Amino acid sequence: MLARYRDDDTVFMVSGSSFLPRPLTIEAPFFFTKYTQIWGWGAWRRSWKKYEFMLPEEDRMDWMQILDDACPEIAERFYWKREFNKLCGKPVPHTWDYQLQFSAWKSKSKCIWPSTNLVTNRGLRSDATHTISPNDYLCQKAREITSNLEAQPASYNLELDKLLFWFHFLEGDVNRFRYILFESDESIQSNLREIAALGDIYTSRRIMADPMLGEVVDLGIKWIKKMLRNN
């Protein structure tokens, strides 16, 4: 893939990892996604030249528009804006890989992932810096690609990226998914403010503890189940 797309500016990087949910299979050996992934990856000098490690405060509004364009889903957009705000204006950002993601979105490029996971991360253990409690999706073992490597990658699919957001970045955690949906829904936040203004703290806390009461999570779960069922 690095050789094939060397001169294609629409491709930002190539990854060896894949976090597709197990019931989902893709016939093509590779596929396009808007997401970067740095477990076993490669890129070109042209991509690094677009990389921005520092995210100055004065550029915040420009970046907000970039994130709006890259993430049409409300919950997903909320998640990435929150992560961006953790890095924006920091003299020494605590990480470098999210900046890689933002740089790919700024250049409106896509990335290539394999349909079969090719990388085993040996750093998923109790003394790790970040991956202390990995789940089954992160602990996938490397496998061999059995399909034709000369075939073209599957075309970009927005619904597939929704699944990757759920299974990779939220690690398939229903509670995290509920929280993101809940926090990103302005109508529910407005209702909560009204409840709090009335002094009904018990009801407010009950809704926050169980987003199902607001019928928020149903909408998100439906498209996940639909995608798994259709594939």
Side-chain angles (χ1 to χ4, degrees):
M1 294 300 106
L2 287 172
R4 185 184 301 182
Y5 293 96
R6 178 185 181 92
D7 300 316
D8 189 339
D9 286 339
T10 66
V11 181
F12 190 80
M13 58 91 76
V14 178
S15 179
S17 299
S18 183
F19 294 94
L20 292 173
R22 291 190 179 89
L24 182 64
T25 57
I26 297 178
E27 292 184 4
F30 304 92
F31 63 93
F32 286 104
T33 172
K34 69 180 181 183
Y35 284 119
T36 58
Q37 171 48 243
I38 59 168
W39 292 359
W41 70 290
W44 306 269
R45 185 170 183 266
R46 58 175 173 77
S47 298
W48 274 119
K49 290 174 69 175
K50 301 174 183 177
Y51 176 74
E52 298 182 44
F53 178 63
M54 306 300 294
L55 303 173
E57 179 65 36
E58 56 267 25
D59 296 337
R60 182 186 295 270
M61 295 309 298
D62 292 337
W63 279 105
M64 290 298 104
Q65 184 60 55
I66 291 171
L67 298 182
D68 284 341
D69 295 341
C71 303
E73 294 293 321
I74 294 177
E76 187 181 19
R77 186 162 64 245
F78 172 86
Y79 173 89
W80 285 109
K81 285 187 174 181
R82 185 184 63 181
E83 295 303 317
F84 176 87
N85 287 330
K86 293 178 182 178
L87 299 172
C88 185
K90 297 294 188 297
V92 181
H94 64 82
T95 187
W96 65 272
D97 57 337
Y98 277 2
Q99 294 94 311
L100 190 73
Q101 180 66 79
F102 300 145
S103 297
W105 287 343
K106 184 177 182 180
S107 66
K108 300 184 182 302
S109 303
K110 292 296 186 289
C111 305
I112 293 179
W113 286 23
S115 301
T116 301
N117 183 55
L118 306 178
V119 174
T120 300
N121 189 335
R122 300 173 64 184
L124 304 176
R125 57 195 193 189
S126 60
D127 62 341
T129 302
H130 299 292
T131 50
I132 298 175
S133 302
N135 60 30
D136 290 341
Y137 287 101
L138 297 183
C139 290
Q140 294 185 52
K141 301 296 183 181
R143 293 181 292 168
E144 295 291 332
I145 290 182
T146 56
S147 52
N148 179 15
L149 297 182
E150 298 301 320
Q152 293 297 315
S155 58
Y156 176 70
N157 187 310
L158 178 61
E159 297 300 316
L160 185 59
D161 268 353
K162 293 179 183 179
L163 282 177
L164 290 178
F165 174 67
W166 158 254
F167 281 103
H168 180 36
F169 295 100
L170 299 188
E171 300 180 5
D173 188 321
V174 174
N175 290 327
R176 291 184 67 191
F177 188 61
R178 288 177 178 176
Y179 170 77
I180 293 295
L181 285 173
F182 177 77
E183 288 293 312
S184 62
D185 193 304
E186 295 181 2
S187 63
I188 290 184
Q189 289 297 309
S190 177
N191 291 336
L192 278 179
R193 285 191 292 270
E194 292 179 9
I195 291 172
L198 294 173
D200 193 346
I201 303 301
Y202 171 76
T203 302
S204 177
R205 288 180 177 175
R206 185 164 61 92
I207 293 177
M208 292 186 71
D210 186 2
M212 288 291 287
L213 293 177
E215 299 181 356
V216 181
V217 77
D218 286 346
L219 298 175
I221 296 297
K222 280 180 181 177
W223 60 254
I224 293 174
K225 290 183 176 180
K226 178 182 177 181
M227 281 296 296
L228 293 178
R229 184 169 61 249
N230 290 345
N231 290 277

